Amino acid sequence: MIKYWILIPVLLILFSSFSTAQTLTDDQLQVRVKEVAKTLRCAVCQSESVWESNAELAIQMRDIIRERLVQGQSPDEIRAYFVSRYGDFILLQPRTFVGMNWLLWGGPFLLLILGGTFLFRTLRKWVAQTAPPPPEDLSPLDERSRKRVEQALRSFESDK
């Protein structure tokens, strides 16, 4: 009978530690699910993460994340799984310089440089074509033109 009185408290302590360990594991699992789900976009809501969305698809995606974490997959492997199914769109923070992303990041700067160069060359050519002739090429006024200019100047002075 004394054996049972010793065995029962030992078993109670042992089972309570198992249940505490299971709770910690569930809490840790929930934290890891949250970390991964916050980096994925909800395919239905699109402006919310999988963690924030209440759509049925987001709930299913959280379940898949949980299952894969229990299986031992890393968060990067889980993200790669969702990228393989939905494309890069599913990531809330796009990967930089992967595939055609370099064109999205560098394209505007490349277009700005090309456009600036084109504009500079066009303006330089346009200014060179429309520049006034040098003063040596101007012919002096003939006598008739000179008299017309003097008359015009006198008429301005008489109007004052």
Side-chain angles (χ1 to χ4, degrees), residues 20-145:
T20 305
Q22 184 65 29
T23 303
L24 287 176
T25 303
D26 286 342
D27 290 342
Q28 290 174 348
L29 182 63
Q30 188 68 13
V31 168
R32 293 188 70 196
V33 168
K34 183 178 179 180
E35 288 174 3
V36 175
K38 280 191 163 190
T39 61
L40 298 174
R41 180 187 319 268
C42 176
V44 176
C45 302
Q46 297 187 3
S47 62
E48 296 180 356
S49 68
V50 169
W51 181 254
E52 297 165 342
S53 176
N54 291 323
E56 185 66 30
L57 182 62
I59 294 169
Q60 291 173 356
M61 291 172 77
R62 285 193 297 257
D63 291 341
I64 291 171
I65 293 169
R66 182 173 291 110
E67 289 172 9
R68 290 183 175 258
L69 285 172
V70 169
Q71 291 172 357
Q73 291 187 356
S74 70
D76 290 335
E77 290 172 334
I78 295 170
R79 285 186 202 100
Y81 166 75
F82 282 108
V83 167
S84 70
R85 295 197 60 168
Y86 296 100
D88 284 339
F89 171 76
I90 202 71
L91 298 174
L92 277 176
Q93 189 172 21
R95 297 180 292 175
T96 56
F97 303 112
V98 174
M100 294 298 286
N101 285 351
W102 67 269
L103 189 60
L104 292 174
W105 289 98
F109 297 110
L110 182 65
L111 287 176
L112 184 66
I113 290 170
L114 289 175
T117 303
F118 175 75
L119 183 65
F120 175 75
R121 294 184 70 186
T122 302
L123 288 176
R124 195 167 122 197
K125 187 183 293 181
W126 180 64
V127 168
Q129 289 175 351
T130 59
E136 298 89 35
D137 292 344
L138 294 176
S139 61
L141 291 176
D142 59 351
E143 194 60 35
R144 183 174 169 211
S145 298

